[in-house]
Amino acid sequence: MVQRMSRLLLKTLRDAPADAETTSHKLLVRAGYVRRSSAGMWTWLPLGKRVLDNVARVVREEMDAIGGQEVLLPALLPQEAYEATGRAAEYGDLLFRLTDRKGTAYVLGPTHEEIFTQLVKDQVTSYKDLPVILYQVQTKYRDEARPRSGVLRGREFQMKDAYSFDTGEEGLAEAYRLHREAYRRIFQRLGLDFRIVSAVSGAMGGSASEEFLAPAAAGEDTFVDCPACDYAANTEAVTFTAAVPAAVDPGPVEELDTPDTPTIETLAAHLGVPAAATLKNLLVTVDGEITAVGVPGDREVDLGKLAEHLAPAAVALVTAEDFAARPDLVRGYVGPQGLRIPYLADPRVAPGTAWITGANKPGRHAADVVCGRDFQVDRYLDVVTVQGGDPCPRCGAGLTLGRAIEIGHIFQLGRKYTDTFEVDVLGRDGKPVRVTMGSYGIGISRAVAALAEQTADEHGLCWPREVAPADVHVVAAGKAAQTELAALAADALHAAGLRVLLDDRAGVSPGAKFADADLLGVPTILIAGRRATEGFVELKDRRTGEREELQLTEALKRLA
Ligand code: ATP
Ligand code: MG
Ligand code: MG
Ligand code: MG
């Protein structure tokens, strides 16, 4: 069917919403693709829904191609499952929680590792049933602290989440490789510019993980990229190979006159930085032992956020034993919501510039800290930022730094979830074997915004054909002959199998129609205008702006 704009639920706006900061937020709203329902909740209008569905279609095709089987699980899930793995606490306020009439606690699924693990425990009994890849395209819920940037960060959003199950490390590695390749194809087909970078696993747990990042100024992630080798990493995951100096002289301990927890103000005052400053490095010590050198939080952490991390009830440090075992690679500590905080083992960190002591007590160990409320001495070193030009940890070349949007994230989870739910299958040798697992996410709705960010220009949206809401946008400039020719063109294009949007609106000026065509961003615009009576139309390439006048029959040949 030709989509007639006279019948389309569409109201384009001249002005962007006042709170919109990013290109995608502004343009997707102005072009009538999405509409805010409430904070972080978005309605997909007809044109937006088409783009969203196109992204999901590509994802499904490539998931099916690696043997993925699509399922659909509920979004409303028993909280119990998330308590069993500890993620109810780890996610904390990020979880939407509710209670049914009997008093049973539920959560709205933020991601489904627990539930898929239970499904497989229930359905799979033998190694012969493995490997298996299951996926769904589903609405996810996260009560994000700062829902902003439109659909880039919603509190309700669409995710494709996939889960692989197998019996051994090799199977897991193979499933991971398959997903990695499928993701490359997906993002290539969508027309996204992307990088694959090393990442930290965060609340997901597990060992290896990589992110697919779409470089864009609106992105909330920062990554480093090496021009000389294939090293690329989210700055959260930058790990320098050199060990933290074994014996850092802690320097004189300066007792601050503070309550148990240094407040944001005392920290800022002590560091001589404004309270809103961004800290990039933190040395955590327990009993004078270096426990972790870290970037305290995800991405750049402002002092406000850091103060949260320092709340005694919330902070748990890695154990001294952990540190003793791998002084070069302590895996961070657990933050306010139990989130694992990545750290940066950075050889450039010089012995300290400041000490801050909280409720440090002699003989206290990190393990006590994890149980108890009192905690550690925190010692700040200089504010160290990974910067452009810093040496690549692999080859030493100067790193480049960029902002990006996380569009996908793949994890080798190993047995974290299958251990919790004790998922064993009958092995080849007749003995039970614990199942290994991977999980693989793509932000479907976020990918729409990422595409808008990367492809829009000063005139509006500018979709790659694969995701565009139509192939051709036919504009009838207004006069009777023009309207007639446009309708003829639209029908012919439709008959040729193209998806057609026809601007047949009466009472809208040609100028407004042309501006809307640019704003909506369909890749090809066909205009029945000046020379319609002679059977001539104008073809415009939305991206390049190139125009050409030609006979309709010629134009149809060109497009079909
Ligand atoms: P972010 O770092 O942006 O908060 P995340 O690391 O918490 O994302 P994952 O748990 O890895 O997200 O989820 C898989 C994918 O889901 C992400 O790569 C991203 O594309 C998408 N996603 C996550 N949170 C949101 C959100 N609030 N709105 C839209 N998409 C999201
Ligand atoms: Mg998140
Ligand atoms: Mg992330
Ligand atoms: Mg992630």
Side-chain angles (χ1 to χ4, degrees):
M1 198 189 76
V2 172
Q3 176 66 63
R4 294 172 169 271
M5 283 176 70
S6 58
R7 316 286 316 151
L8 184 65
L9 183 73
L10 173 72
K11 197 170 83 186
T12 57
L13 305 175
R14 200 196 306 256
D15 298 311
D19 63 335
E21 286 166 20
T22 58
T23 304
S24 58
H25 187 177
K26 288 179 191 161
L27 288 179
L28 289 171
V29 172
R30 279 191 54 214
Y33 280 65
V34 299
R35 189 171 193 286
R36 184 179 173 278
S37 170
S38 64
M41 308 282 177
W42 291 88
T43 297
W44 292 81
L45 295 167
L47 293 181
K49 179 67 165 48
R50 288 189 183 188
V51 178
L52 187 70
D53 286 350
N54 285 337
V55 172
R57 173 180 46 77
V58 170
V59 170
R60 284 192 166 99
E61 285 170 9
E62 297 298 340
M63 286 305 299
D64 292 346
I66 59 166
Q69 302 177 60
E70 184 168 358
V71 295
L72 184 59
L73 274 58
L76 188 58
L77 309 167
Q79 183 172 306
E80 212 177 24
Y82 289 79
E83 258 150 23
T85 55
R87 286 214 297 183
E90 275 176 47
Y91 275 131
D93 288 341
L94 210 73
L95 279 186
F96 279 103
R97 298 163 197 260
L98 52 158
T99 312
D100 73 5
R101 64 171 77 203
K102 297 196 183 110
T104 310
Y106 285 84
V107 301
L108 288 173
T111 168
H112 277 60
E113 279 73 12
E114 283 81 353
I115 315 300
F116 272 85
T117 308
Q118 291 176 331
L119 175 70
V120 164
K121 182 181 171 76
D122 188 48
Q123 297 273 314
V124 176
T125 50
S126 158
Y127 74 95
K128 290 181 195 152
D129 304 326
L130 297 175
V132 66
I133 294 173
L134 301 172
Y135 77 93
Q136 61 177 349
V137 175
Q138 203 215 28
T139 307
K140 296 281 189 270
Y141 297 87
R142 297 183 184 183
D143 193 358
E144 301 277 1
R146 285 180 300 167
R148 50 175 195 180
S149 313
V151 296
L152 261 184
R153 182 173 297 284
R155 296 200 297 164
E156 175 182 288
F157 59 96
Q158 297 295 311
M159 198 204 288
K160 184 284 299 178
D161 45 325
Y163 307 84
S164 71
F165 298 88
D166 207 338
T167 49
E169 305 308 325
E170 273 171 35
L172 171 56
E174 173 62 6
Y176 187 87
R177 191 189 64 76
L178 283 173
H179 279 86
R180 200 174 190 273
E181 287 310 307
Y183 276 36
R184 295 174 83 104
R185 284 191 295 273
I186 288 167
F187 295 127
Q188 266 158 16
R189 281 182 61 185
L190 293 180
L192 276 164
D193 172 26
F194 67 96
R195 304 268 187 295
I196 305 177
V197 306
S198 308
V200 286
S201 298
M204 210 63 81
S207 52
S209 99
E210 286 170 300
E211 285 166 349
F212 288 72
L213 298 184
E220 294 181 53
D221 283 85
T222 311
F223 71 106
V224 291
D225 206 2
C226 179
C229 70
D230 62 359
Y231 181 82
N234 194 310
T235 49
E236 293 171 359
V238 175
T239 308
F240 286 81
T241 44
V244 176
V248 174
D249 172 7
V253 175
E254 188 180 325
E255 291 284 347
L256 290 188
D257 185 16
T258 84
D260 284 5
T261 315
T263 64
I264 179 65
E265 286 76 21
T266 51
L267 284 176
H270 202 74
L271 293 167
V273 295
T278 294
L279 282 180
K280 279 311 197 78
N281 225 315
L282 165 69
L283 181 74
V284 182
T285 65
V286 175
D287 300 338
E289 301 287 321
I290 298 170
T291 302
V293 179
V295 177
D298 54 351
R299 307 183 191 87
E300 293 165 356
V301 169
D302 62 33
L303 283 173
K305 223 169 163 189
L306 182 59
E308 286 173 28
H309 293 313
L310 293 175
V315 174
L317 300 172
V318 292
T319 64
E321 286 82 348
D322 287 344
F323 183 70
R326 290 300 301 275
D328 58 333
L329 213 70
V330 179
R331 272 288 162 218
Y333 58 95
V334 182
Q337 299 165 355
L339 291 174
R340 209 173 281 266
I341 306 301
Y343 77 102
L344 174 66
D346 185 341
R348 298 163 307 165
V349 174
T353 54
W355 269 94
I356 295 189
T357 71
N360 187 38
K361 306 238 167 41
R364 185 171 297 283
H365 289 284
D368 303 328
V369 175
V370 178
C371 316
R373 285 186 58 86
D374 282 345
F375 74 121
Q376 83 289 357
V377 180
D378 277 341
R379 173 172 185 260
Y380 283 91
L381 297 172
D382 258 336
V383 176
V384 175
T385 317
V386 186
Q387 281 165 349
D390 279 353
C392 169
R394 198 168 292 163
C395 75
L399 292 169
T400 59
L401 201 65
R403 295 290 277 184
I405 298 163
E406 180 190 327
I407 46 176
H409 199 162
I410 54 178
F411 299 87
Q412 295 197 20
L413 297 171
R415 298 185 176 81
K416 168 174 162 150
Y417 294 87
T418 52
D419 274 347
T420 301
F421 297 107
E422 300 182 332
V423 187
D424 295 329
V425 294
L426 202 64
R428 217 172 272 278
D429 56 4
K431 288 188 195 136
V433 46
R434 186 74 19 118
V435 169
T436 53
M437 177 178 178
S439 86
Y440 317 88
I442 289 183
I444 302 275
S445 45
R446 180 179 285 186
V448 173
L451 269 165
E453 289 291 339
Q454 286 191 343
T455 58
D457 62 18
E458 70 270 28
H459 305 296
L461 298 165
C462 194
W463 301 108
R465 194 168 296 275
E466 181 96 63
V467 298
D471 296 307
V472 187
H473 184 144
V474 178
V475 180
K479 300 209 178 80
Q482 297 165 336
T483 305
E484 222 168 275
L485 189 66
L488 198 71
D491 286 339
L493 290 167
H494 173 65
L498 295 172
R499 300 166 305 149
V500 183
L501 185 65
L502 170 62
D503 194 347
D504 60 342
R505 292 175 297 175
V508 178
S509 74
K513 286 184 177 179
F514 299 149
D516 273 353
D518 280 349
L519 177 63
L520 296 186
V522 172
T524 303
I525 301 167
L526 185 152
I527 302 158
R530 235 162 23 96
R531 295 178 63 190
T533 45
E534 304 160 53
F536 272 85
V537 296
E538 209 180 315
L539 271 191
K540 177 178 168 185
D541 183 294
R542 171 64 185 85
R543 170 156 306 287
T544 62
E546 277 166 28
R547 298 157 167 271
E548 200 179 346
E549 247 185 359
L550 65 183
Q551 279 285 341
L552 175 60
T553 45
E554 274 308 303
L556 293 177
K557 266 191 225 152
R558 193 77 64 85
L559 297 177

